[in-house]
Amino acid sequence: MAADTDAALTSGLRLLHAAASTQASRTDAIFLAMLLLCGTVAIVLLVLVVWFSLRYRRGRDVDRTPPRQMKGIELAWTVTPLLIFFGVFGWAARDYVTMADPPADALPVSVVARQWMWKLQHRSGRREINELHVPLGEPVVLTMTSQDVIHSFFIPAFRLKQDVLPGRYTRLWFTATQLGEFPLFCSEYCGSEHSQMTGRVVVMSPSDYGRWLASGPSEPGMAQYGFALFRQLGCSGCHDPRSTIHAPLLEGLYGRTVHLQDGRSRVADADYLRDSILVPAKDVVAGFAPVMPSFAGQVSEEDLQALIAYIQSTSARDTTP
Ligand code: CUA
């Protein structure tokens, strides 16, 4: 009973929402440090303003001769804040870079936003809507796109927010540190039902997560479905190693650097593969003719992600001994 009251009291007094990811505690630390730093500066200035205006008010008999040069003090109040704020910049930049660089072994989840719902799919093929189940303590990376307007994927308890844009992929990664359910929001105005584009993130123990993954309706894995599409859409007609048509081979392509006809080079990531399927004339591989037709309008966002998952899976096979 006493513990309940304590919990209620602390949650009532808590300034911030529960911090439930590794990034959340780092973001909170920066936020609190900035609050303390700026609060201290503001209070010092306020005290000085009040003190000087009382001390030097009209009619007071005080020494008003202007001080001579005080180089030491001027240097100190210029250089000290400069160094402190450079320090804060370095600290925040390090966290920002960490956020932009998901670990290689992170669990991939695909996200497609539309007016007004979140569609998510795990690599096993398991789909969910407005819900994201993740295992505790394991990094998860979301590859996100929108099939209509700009949305924004926002999990306050993880201190994470990322715009979800039509026509390209954005990524977000996190490691959950608390079991439980956390609210998910769309934080970019996306039309009349924007405020209802909400959901929840469910953090489960890894074994519960494994059971949850296995418990869904049986669906082909994303890579497997992608392979079926690869044949169905006719991609394999040209890109198969046995094909007589001169087209780049896609086995093990994912993550490699590709040299292009015009001298540029690009890393074959999800964005590159997406562009190659929808706008094939944009990045023509060196040594090949620009003969591939565009598949824009023929493949849904989900199908694109499945095709990319398939190409990615051939690289995974390639690198594992
Ligand atoms: Cu989607 Cu706001």
Side-chain angles (χ1 to χ4, degrees):
M1 219 34 204
D4 278 3
T5 324
D6 278 0
L9 203 65
T10 39
S11 70
L13 293 174
R14 204 166 47 205
L15 290 173
L16 297 167
H17 198 281
S21 74
T22 47
Q23 281 91 337
S25 40
R26 289 204 297 262
T27 304
D28 286 359
I30 291 186
F31 174 71
L32 289 173
M34 289 297 290
L35 190 67
L36 273 177
L37 190 64
C38 298
T40 309
V41 172
I43 287 169
V44 168
L45 286 177
L46 187 73
V47 167
L48 286 177
V49 165
V50 172
W51 183 56
F52 283 146
S53 46
L54 288 176
R55 183 174 156 84
Y56 294 100
R57 72 183 186 276
R58 197 158 75 169
R60 256 294 332 253
D61 179 26
V62 280
D63 178 17
R64 291 170 201 273
T65 48
R68 260 199 278 274
Q69 273 212 340
M70 298 192 297
K71 236 183 211 154
I73 289 188
E74 285 189 27
L75 270 176
W77 78 42
T78 308
V79 173
T80 314
L82 186 72
L83 291 180
I84 291 176
F85 280 99
F86 267 129
V88 172
F89 172 76
W91 180 11
R94 194 200 57 184
D95 279 3
Y96 188 80
V97 168
T98 312
M99 277 170 64
D101 189 26
D105 62 342
L107 208 67
V109 177
S110 300
V111 179
V112 177
R114 56 165 293 188
Q115 289 167 318
W116 289 273
M117 64 166 78
W118 299 105
K119 297 183 285 181
L120 299 102
Q121 193 175 20
H122 298 254
R123 275 294 188 270
S124 69
R126 177 100 203 237
R127 294 171 192 273
E128 29 186 356
I129 287 184
N130 294 339
E131 280 196 355
L132 170 60
H133 288 73
V134 293
L136 178 77
E138 287 177 27
V140 174
V141 60
L142 309 178
T143 299
M144 309 188 290
T145 190
S146 165
Q147 67 184 59
D148 39 47
V149 299
I150 300 176
H151 303 268
S152 183
F153 197 89
F154 179 33
I155 314 170
F158 292 178
R159 309 289 187 271
L160 286 177
K161 186 194 282 185
Q162 171 64 55
D163 273 8
V164 179
L165 309 164
R168 57 182 275 194
Y169 293 122
T170 49
R171 285 188 306 177
L172 193 63
W173 81 272
F174 56 83
T175 303
T177 54
Q178 257 183 51
L179 292 173
E181 292 180 11
F182 305 97
L184 159 70
F185 296 105
C186 175
S187 62
E188 182 78 50
Y189 181 70
C190 55
S192 58
E193 281 167 50
H194 154 74
S195 64
Q196 282 153 53
M197 196 169 159
T198 58
R200 59 183 189 145
V201 178
V202 182
V203 181
M204 317 168 91
S205 70
S207 54
D208 283 351
Y209 173 73
R211 268 193 292 278
W212 174 84
L213 262 192
S215 71
S218 100
E219 274 176 272
M222 275 181 80
Q224 196 190 342
Y225 177 63
F227 178 61
L229 279 173
F230 190 74
R231 302 179 63 159
Q232 196 184 315
L233 291 166
C235 316
S236 54
C238 299
H239 292 285
D240 192 271
R242 285 155 298 179
S243 166
T244 49
I245 294 161
H246 184 56
L249 295 181
L250 306 182
E251 234 354 77
L253 172 70
Y254 195 88
R256 289 203 194 142
T257 303
V258 183
H259 299 284
L260 305 177
Q261 196 82 295
D262 55 9
R264 287 177 302 132
S265 53
R266 274 190 76 173
V267 173
D269 54 11
D271 272 302
Y272 167 80
L273 295 175
R274 177 197 176 86
D275 286 353
S276 299
I277 296 167
L278 301 180
V279 200
K282 186 177 162 213
D283 297 313
V284 178
V285 181
F288 293 91
V291 292
M292 175 167 156
S294 164
F295 284 80
Q298 296 180 53
V299 276
S300 68
E301 289 297 342
E302 282 89 346
D303 287 357
L304 269 174
Q305 296 222 19
L307 279 168
I308 293 168
Y310 160 63
I311 295 169
Q312 204 173 358
S313 74
T314 66
S315 307
R317 264 207 305 275
D318 213 37
T319 48
T320 31

